[in-house]
């Protein structure tokens, strides 16, 4: 049988051949199946050994068959693509180039590049989070008033549209363990009344770095380096005390205004500083809920609005432009 199978396998050329082979050998009336059923006619002493051999033959046949079938399918798909002359997306455009990247995509890529060059893994997660991911695992218990600050869209099954990218933190801490650097950008949702500075869908990015001996000094260094890369000039940062349930201590981080060399302008409201992001050292409870021992490991976390960054960078005063689908406006912005 083994010899016959080898010959039959090497003769497979089309998907129809594959189907016929499957019926003949592996299907419920196939020869291997029949042989397995035939085992019961063997004398008792021979049955176990023959059974074992048949099992191996079956597994090997399945493995080689599926591999071969996959190859045939792939070749057929490639051939179809080659023959498909209707749309050739590889032809360069003629005349004016119509498409362009969305301004948020552009800042997102710049931020990703800055952090990736410092060893951060970039992750994107689900826009739907469990209540625990969005709140409980971030040290925001059921009765905590911090839940009220975020006007949350609830789904009928009890899940939520994530109100912040921080919702991915617990899952990523568990995925990468206690020695990690991860950046996780994405779209978030809040039940806002729309105006020039509030939209119900917006983009944020969170980052974490965990290891032994991580301190606030690391946080300052990474934020300063990343922001300088994004704004393409030397940016100073300063921390003010803040509060977030998932960090302890928590800070508000200000960046020196990139638009007036910190001299004072309308963007920084004449202060020379722009309130940039929330950050802090990850709360021990949050580490514990991700099975990380806070006695051994520490980490910093930060989160900021990519939409807000795009507004700052491109001088956009109305947030609604970004989700408007108004190509002319978006082009003028980016
Ligand atoms: N999730 C917070 C928000 O949406 C921002 C934030 C603050 C994220 C501090 C963090 C952090 O990771 O450490 O307002």
């Amino acid at each position: 049988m083994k010899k016959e199978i080898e010959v039959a396998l090497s003769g497979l050329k089309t998907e129809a051949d594959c189907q016929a082979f499957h019926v003949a050998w592996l299907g419920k009336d196939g020869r291997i199946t029949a042989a397995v059923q035939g085992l019961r006619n063997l004398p008792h002493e021979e049955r176990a050994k023959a059974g074992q051999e048949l099992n191996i033959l079956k597994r090997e046949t399945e493995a080689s068959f599926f591999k071969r079938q996959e190859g045939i399918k792939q070749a057929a798909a490639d051939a179809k693509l080659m023959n498909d002359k209707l749309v050739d997306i590889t032809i360069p455009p003629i005349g004016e180039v119509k498409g362009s990247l969305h301004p948020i995509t552009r800042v997102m890529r710049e931020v990703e590049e800055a952090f990736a060059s410092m060893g951060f893994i970039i992750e994107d997660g689900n826009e739907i989070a469990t209540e625990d991911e969005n709140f409980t695992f971030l040290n925001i218990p059921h009765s905590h008033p911090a839940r009220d600050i975020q006007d949350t869209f609830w789904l009928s099954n009890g899940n939520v549209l994530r109100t912040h990218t921080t919702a991915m933190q617990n899952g990523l801490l568990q995925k990468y363990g206690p020695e990690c650097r991860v950046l996780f950008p994405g779209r978030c949702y809040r039940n806002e009344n729309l105006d020039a500075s509030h939209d119900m869908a917006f983009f944020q990015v969170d980052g974490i770095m965990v290891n032994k001996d991580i301190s606030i000094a690391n946080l300052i260094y990474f934020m300063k380096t990343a922001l300088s890369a994004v704004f393409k000039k030397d940016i100073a940062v300063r921390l003010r005390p803040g509060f977030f349930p998932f960090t302890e201590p928590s800070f508000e981080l200000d960046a020196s205004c990139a638009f007036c060399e910190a001299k004072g302008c309308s963007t920084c409201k004449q202060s020379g500083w722009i309130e940039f992001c929330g950050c802090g050292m990850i709360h021990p409870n949050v580490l514990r809920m991700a099975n990380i021992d806070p006695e051994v490991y520490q980490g910093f976390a930060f989160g900021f609005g990519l939409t807000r960054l795009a507004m700052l960078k491109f001088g956009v005063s109305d947030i609604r432009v970004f989700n408007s689908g108004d190509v002319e406006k978006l082009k003028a912005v980016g």
Side-chain angles (χ1 to χ4, degrees):
M1 268 166 88
K2 196 169 172 169
K3 284 254 160 58
E4 269 186 72
I5 288 171
E6 271 164 22
V7 174
L9 272 175
S10 62
L12 299 180
K13 299 236 151 44
T14 64
E15 293 192 49
D17 294 347
C18 292
Q19 269 167 20
F21 176 92
H22 196 270
V23 171
W25 291 97
L26 294 162
K28 70 176 176 351
D29 298 322
R31 286 180 58 188
I32 296 184
T33 319
V36 172
Q37 281 159 0
L39 283 172
R40 68 176 108 94
N41 304 326
L42 284 182
H44 191 69
E45 328 71 79
E46 289 171 30
R47 221 181 277 166
K49 184 154 181 291
Q52 238 172 23
E53 278 172 15
L54 264 179
N55 242 338
I56 294 172
L57 178 69
K58 183 167 179 213
R59 254 188 280 130
E60 284 176 355
T61 306
E62 277 172 349
S64 342
F65 169 68
F66 288 130
K67 198 161 157 218
R68 179 104 194 161
Q69 190 183 34
E70 211 30 63
I72 289 171
K73 273 193 188 153
Q74 191 58 49
D78 288 349
K80 184 166 180 302
L81 268 183
M82 294 302 286
N83 287 334
D84 198 346
K85 298 210 177 69
L86 287 176
V87 181
D88 182 349
I89 57 168
T90 64
I91 294 177
I94 302 163
E96 189 201 355
V97 178
K98 289 262 163 56
S100 63
L101 291 178
H102 193 283
I104 294 192
T105 306
R106 289 178 47 191
V107 291
M108 189 188 285
R109 289 194 181 170
E110 284 172 10
V111 172
E112 287 177 2
E113 226 167 82
F115 280 93
S117 75
M118 299 190 291
F120 280 69
I121 292 169
I122 316 293
E123 273 274 357
D124 52 10
N126 298 329
E127 292 178 14
I128 293 175
T130 64
E131 186 182 353
D132 284 344
E133 287 167 336
N134 203 77
F135 297 115
T136 321
F137 296 153
L138 294 170
N139 202 31
I140 314 175
H142 274 272
S143 54
H144 198 285
R147 285 203 185 194
D148 294 341
I149 301 172
Q150 308 199 341
D151 272 327
T152 310
F153 286 116
W154 292 87
L155 306 185
S156 52
N157 65 1
N159 286 345
V160 300
L161 294 184
R162 64 179 176 201
T163 60
H164 49 185
T165 36
T166 322
M168 282 138 69
Q169 200 191 93
N170 176 274
L172 292 172
L173 280 172
Q174 304 220 42
K175 176 169 174 188
Y176 290 107
E179 297 182 3
C180 64
R181 300 177 194 189
V182 196
L183 187 84
F184 31 114
R187 190 187 271 114
C188 305
Y189 301 85
R190 291 187 201 177
N191 181 21
E192 304 275 9
N193 288 326
L194 308 194
D195 63 26
S197 42
H198 295 91
D199 204 340
M200 54 181 211
F202 53 94
F203 284 79
Q204 285 192 339
V205 57
D206 264 56
I208 47 172
M209 175 173 185
V210 183
N211 214 313
K212 292 176 183 156
D213 303 323
I214 297 292
S215 74
I216 297 165
N218 300 114
L219 167 68
I220 295 173
Y221 170 80
F222 278 93
M223 294 314 291
K224 181 177 163 50
T225 310
L227 287 176
S228 300
V230 170
F231 284 106
K232 302 190 175 58
K233 59 176 67 156
D234 202 22
I235 298 286
V237 299
R238 71 176 187 193
L239 299 182
R240 287 176 289 114
F243 172 75
F244 298 99
F246 31 91
T247 41
E248 179 57 38
S250 304
F251 306 103
E252 300 286 345
L253 181 145
D254 295 337
S256 59
C257 182
F259 307 100
C260 62
E261 311 301 334
K263 287 192 189 70
C265 66
S266 59
T267 306
C268 62
K269 300 191 191 100
Q270 311 306 328
S271 72
W273 293 95
I274 293 177
E275 279 182 31
F276 193 72
C277 76
C279 55
M281 300 301 293
I282 303 175
H283 196 292
N285 289 349
V286 172
L287 289 176
R288 250 180 245 121
M289 279 186 273
N291 303 318
I292 293 175
D293 182 354
E295 301 293 330
V296 185
Y297 292 100
Q298 305 84 42
F300 67 74
F302 60 88
F304 58 87
L306 278 174
T307 302
R308 204 173 94 82
L309 176 59
M311 290 173 83
L312 280 173
K313 235 189 130 153
F314 299 120
V316 176
S317 53
D318 191 333
I319 193 174
R320 289 167 291 194
V321 168
F322 293 121
N323 287 338
S324 67
D326 183 335
V327 177
E328 287 316 308
K329 279 210 186 111
L330 287 167
K331 242 197 213 160
V333 166

